[in-house]
Amino acid sequence: MRFFLSYLRERRAQIAAFFVLSGTYAVFLALYHMPLAVIVYPAALCAVMGMGALLYGACRETQRHRRLTAAAALGAELVEQALPVPRTQQERDYQAMIRSLCREQREAMGQIHQRYADALGYFTVWAHQIKTPIAAMRLRMQGEDSALARRLSTQITRVTQYVDMAMTYLRLESQSTDYVIRECALDDVVRAGVKTFAAEFIERKLALHYEPVHVRVVTDEKWLGFVIEQLLSNALKYTQHGGITIRMEDEDTLCIEDTGIGIAAEDMPRLFEQGFTGLNGRDHRRASGLGLFLCRRILTNLHHSIRMESELHRGTRVYIGLGRPPLGVE
């Protein structure tokens, strides 16, 4: 009904012209003293024919409106094929404009994809190259158990983590992210993350409270491992005394709790925004604001969840929901 009223408003000039011409015709016939039937019958016939033409036009425009609405819901790759056949020169001009814009968009998207592929290729090579001196430094420190060696090992671990974070950020935008979903032991993933930071726990004399949870989850072991390592890294970064506790909150929720400096209440709603560092990030200049953003993106892709609870100067608790929705049959 709304479309029909809009159609009538667009044709108001033609409708007004019809009534003006019909009135003029009737006036001239009346001036010549024609019988009333001679005046009313042609006017009524013209009105019926005009109404029929108006309704026919409305039906055709309704069909075209539906086709254009359906085309608008399609992507730029398909919208050109869905356009209706133009009836007027104005419609041909508009469709030519749409096709020109679609071509420009395809060219721009091609350039964007090429630049992204070039950047990904460069950083992939860079990541492999930077790992060579990192591995060489690790070899040089093997067998040394001094305080300096442990501090250097901690910093090398941080460098490795930052390299992995950069590559993860780039791969998240890729259409070919290598998720391998299967059942795995959660203890294996957690132990690997803890082992990564073992030297830092020892060097800084921080306690680790963790007992095997004996839980199996359906996930991607590598990507979940990255998330746990990132959360442990954050916990260690902002914890000076006490330690970190890893436990199961319930049958499918892993909790990582620290006794660190906590998070300000005003920062909590924005923790997972890209680039957001908050009060702690301003105090600790090394914060990039990418860690929690990447964690949420990865866990969302894995159909897991993440939430945080924290109080300033009272520590932080991170809850990873490892349950997955039931898989339907396609």
Side-chain angles (χ1 to χ4, degrees), residues 23-216:
T24 303
Y25 174 75
V27 168
F28 274 106
L29 290 180
L31 291 175
Y32 282 97
H33 306 288
M34 293 292 183
L36 184 61
V38 175
I39 300 175
V40 174
Y41 180 76
L45 183 61
C46 289
V48 171
M49 293 176 62
M51 183 61 69
L54 194 66
L55 292 176
Y56 175 73
C59 291
R60 292 191 62 184
E61 289 301 320
T62 300
Q63 294 176 356
R64 292 174 64 81
H65 172 69
R66 289 173 179 169
R67 288 195 61 183
L68 288 172
T69 302
L74 300 174
E77 299 81 3
L78 302 175
V79 67
E80 293 182 74
Q81 289 75 22
L83 291 174
V85 178
R87 293 202 313 263
T88 64
Q89 183 59 45
Q90 186 180 44
E91 291 184 0
R92 283 190 285 272
D93 293 339
Y94 280 128
Q95 292 194 14
M97 186 185 304
I98 292 172
R99 291 189 173 91
S100 176
L101 292 174
C102 288
R103 284 194 300 271
E104 291 182 8
Q105 185 190 35
R106 285 195 297 268
E107 293 173 1
M109 290 302 297
Q111 293 175 2
I112 291 173
H113 288 315
Q114 184 59 47
R115 285 197 295 269
Y116 171 76
D118 293 342
L120 182 59
Y122 169 77
F123 280 106
T124 301
V125 173
W126 174 83
H128 286 292
Q129 289 176 337
I130 201 66
K131 286 181 179 180
T132 301
I134 291 174
M137 287 186 286
R138 287 189 184 277
L139 286 174
R140 289 291 302 271
M141 288 190 300
Q142 279 186 352
E144 296 188 22
D145 193 23
S146 63
L148 176 61
R150 287 194 293 270
R151 285 196 294 271
L152 290 175
S153 177
T154 297
Q155 296 306 316
I156 290 174
T157 299
R158 292 286 181 182
V159 172
T160 304
Q161 185 190 20
Y162 294 149
V163 172
D164 292 339
M165 186 187 298
M167 292 306 301
T168 299
Y169 179 75
L170 289 173
R171 288 185 183 131
L172 278 179
E173 303 300 327
S174 173
Q175 300 298 320
S176 58
T177 303
D178 56 339
Y179 293 112
V180 179
I181 307 298
R182 60 187 179 187
E183 188 180 63
C184 64
L186 182 59
D187 285 317
D188 294 342
V189 183
V190 174
R191 285 195 190 101
V194 170
K195 184 179 179 181
T196 300
F197 299 100
E200 186 168 354
F201 274 102
I202 296 171
E203 172 65 23
R204 297 174 55 192
K205 296 181 173 60
L206 294 175
L208 173 66
H209 305 281
Y210 167 68
E211 294 182 3
V213 295
H214 306 295
V215 173
R216 300 190 66 83

